[in-house]
Amino acid sequence: MTLRMTLVALMLVTTTPALADGHATVESGLSYGPRPAWLISQMADSDLKTRLQSCAGQIPIRTDFSIGHRGAPLMFPEHTVESNVAAAQMGAGILECDVTFTKDHQLVCRHAQNDLHTTTDILVTGLADTCVTPFSPVSGETPASAECRTSEITLAEFLTLDPKMDAAAGDATTAEAYQGGIAAYRTSLYGAGATIMTHADSIKLFKSLGAKFTPELKAPSVEMPHDGFSQADYAQKLIDEYKAAGVPASDVWAQSFDLSDILYWIENEPEFGAQAVYLDDRYDAEDEDEGLIDPMDATTFKPTMQELADMGVNYIAPPLWMLVTVENGGIVPSVYATEAKAAGLNLIAWSLERSGPLNDGGGWYYQSIKDVTDNDGVTYELVDVLAQDVGVAGIFSDWPATVTYYANCMGL
C-alpha cells in the first residue's frame, strides 16, 4: 500500500462527523486505556488522588490541554501516522509535527534534520551512502555511531524509508544491530508498517482526526541559506502549507527554539505569529532561584519575560522542570513560572511521559523536583501543580491519555 493510500485508509477509519461547533459527535470512541488508572493507583493517599479516582467512569473528551508530543511515541514510532492516530484516540486536541526539510526543500516530519539513523531504517537501505557520517561499529570505549540527514536526500527518497522507534544500539558491530537499543520502558510491538509523513500529510491527517496543530520549525543541520533556501523561506513555507490547506491561524501554534523565527512570524504572518510558541532553552537554574531571569546567559543574550512580551511573544514553552521547584517537601511554581505569568505570557510545558519509571528521581525532565520524585504517582502531582498553580495552557506528553484524563476530570 502506498503512503497516500495508507493515509486515506486511516483517515476513513478515524474520522468522525463534526457538529457545527467543531466538536466530534463520537467522543465516546476515544479511550484512556489502562495507564491513567495505574498512575493514580501509585499515588500516595490525598485529596487529589480521591478526586482523580472519582472520575474513573467519565467518558473521554478531546481537549486542547492535551498535546501529543510527536504523536504517542511512548509506544509508537514518532511522527508517524500510527503514532498520531493513537494520540488522537487518547483525546489529544493538538498534535505535533516537528518540521525539517529535504535536499529538494520539501517539508517533512522528523524531530531533527540529522536523526534518520536513529528514527528510520536508512542505514540498512541503499540510501546509507548518503549519510554524512557512515555507520561505525563499536570500538573499545567508543560506541557505534552514524549521522544521516534529510537534507542529503530528496522527498521521493525520504518516502521510501521505514520509520522505527527512536533508538540506537551503542554496542552494535553491524548496521543491522544498530537498529536496536530501544529503552526498556518503550516497545517495538507497534513499529511494523509504520507510515512516515511529510508536513503536508500531517496537516491532512490531523484535520481528519479533529485535532489542531503545533508544528515545530527545527534548526537546520546545514548552513543556511541552503542552495538558495533561506531561514525566512523555511519559516514562511511552514506557514504557507497551512494556508494552502485552509487551516485557520487560530488552530496553529507554530514553535521554534530560534527567537528570530518567532519574530519573523509576528512581523510577516501576524495572525499565526499571535500564537507562535517560543521554546525557551534556559536550562541553567539549579536551586530555589531556578528559572530566575538573567539577561546574560553565558555567551548569548536572553530577553527577560517582559522583553519577550514587549516583542509580541504571547506563548513560551520550557521543559517541565523549569516551571516547578520544591518547597517544604511539596511541588510549587518556580520563579521562572511566576515571572512569565507576571509578564502576561502563556505557558506550555514539555514533555510528560518521556522519562520512564519515576522511582529514581525522574531524570532530566524532573531535575528540579528529584527529591520528591520517587514513584510514578508523582506524574499526577506534577500535572496538578502545572495546571492549577502554574496555570499552563497545555502539556505535551508522549502518552496523551494521561493528560486527557486529568483535564477531563478537572473540567479544563
Side-chain angles (χ1 to χ4, degrees), residues 324-346:
V324 290
T325 189
V326 174
E327 188 175 290
N328 298 323
I331 303 172
V332 298
S334 67
V335 174
Y336 179 105
T338 56
E339 290 284 339
K341 296 302 286 187
L345 295 170
N346 297 291

Side-chain angles (χ1 to χ4, degrees), residues 320 323-324 349 381-392 395:
L320 297 172
L323 293 171
V324 290
E381 295 176 27
L382 173 59
V383 169
D384 189 58
V385 172
L386 290 171
Q388 306 300 334
D389 301 330
V390 174
V392 298
I395 300 175

Side-chain angles (χ1 to χ4, degrees), residues 192-204:
T195 313
I196 208 163
M197 293 193 299
T198 68
H199 179 233
D201 289 334
S202 77
I203 296 173
K204 294 176 185 176

